[in-house]
Amino acid sequence: MPDTMQATARAVGADVALRVESLTIDIRTKSGVAHIVQDVSFTVAKGEFVGIVGESGSGKSMTLMNLLRLIDNPNLNVSGHVWFDGEDLLALPAKRLREIRGGKIAMIFQDAMTALTPVYTVGWHIAEQLRAHRALSRRAARERAIELLTEVGIPSPELRVDSFPHELSGGMRQRAVIAMALACDPKVLLADEPTTALDVTTQAQILDLIRRLRTVHGSAVVFVTHDIGVISDSADSILVMYAGRVVEQGRTVDVLAAPQHPYTQGLLGSIPTPGASRLTSQLVSIDGSAPTPSEQVVGCAFRPRCAYAFDKCFTVPALRPREGQADDHLDACWLQRQAQMDLRIEAGS
Ligand SMILES: Nc1ncnc2c1ncn2[C@@H]1O[C@H](COP(=O)(O)OP(=O)(O)O)[C@@H](O)[C@H]1O
Ligand SMILES: [Mg+2]
């Protein structure tokens, strides 16, 4: 079994909410095939909060949207498996998938308006969700909508239920969308930068709300953000994406305590001192920009920006656990593997 699969395979069982295996997304363009997402695998345990981080263009949204096959583009080729409740979402008939979308798996976006139709009220949207997945009378759906608006902290919910989306602030709209997402008690909530468009205070409130709802409803959360700081306190585990690949993944405590990939270290703004037991908080910035999917970088995609690149980096490093690290903490970097080999040679073992 490839190393990348070991961690996921171990976690398979009754406690798994979602398991993504080798998700790969290509797009046919005029100038050829562009690789947008390559070989992404991860497991989301029931009730777990998984964060996906990486700079803009790294393939986070494409990964998330394609878990539910939300992008209808004939030039897109999606392969791999997305296991949910014993079914592969990538292989399900469209009708069955529609039942799961918004029901057992809900999604919220950066722009709450994406999920809202301007001419309908907040209450209508929530009632639609309820009636699509549950047999509820109109009256019962409205009552449940008011309950949900209360739960997500919208003031005067009996009045707000009749508001139109444009009558709410950005933060209140995002709360309303979360109420819609929760209408069917989803097993998994997929969130694509849901706080990015909001001011810092509102951002913290929405994140807090998602965390709280997760505790109350037991839903797992997959939270995508370009800002590792947003989820570092909330996520149980983290995937770091760069140019369509996962370059590091593991439990958040492990990744934060000992980031292995130079890109993760750059994101965290600190680099470990070799041999030191703690991180030194030395600020580093990552110069340059990530390659686009149509730009082919030979070997590791981070190589042109990496201060440590050496000859081995012209080959793509596999995502693997490293000696001395937790075995579910994986990284795709040659650097310390080489350093460990050198140490062994020096020690004569
Ligand atoms: N419809 C499309 N056609 C061609 N390229 C696309 C399309 N959608 C996204 N991409 C490309 O896929 C890459 C990943 O995009 P995306 O998943 O949106 O990144 P992120 O969410 O991490 O910012 C980007 O380089 C983007 O330009
Ligand atoms: Mg995105």
Side-chain angles (χ1 to χ4, degrees), residues 60-61 192-193 224:
K60 307 180 300 294
S61 296
D192 191 356
E193 310 240 13
V224 157

Side-chain angles (χ1 to χ4, degrees), residues 27 36 55-62 73 293:
I27 191 153
I36 291 180
E55 66 201 289
S56 176
S58 57
K60 307 180 300 294
S61 296
M62 285 300 251
N73 180 340

Side-chain angles (χ1 to χ4, degrees), residues 279-300:
L279 289 184
T280 52
S281 249
Q282 203 174 323
L283 266 184
V284 287
S285 68
I286 316 174
D287 290 332
S289 55
T292 64
S294 54
E295 286 166 352
Q296 300 285 338
V297 174
V298 177
C300 170

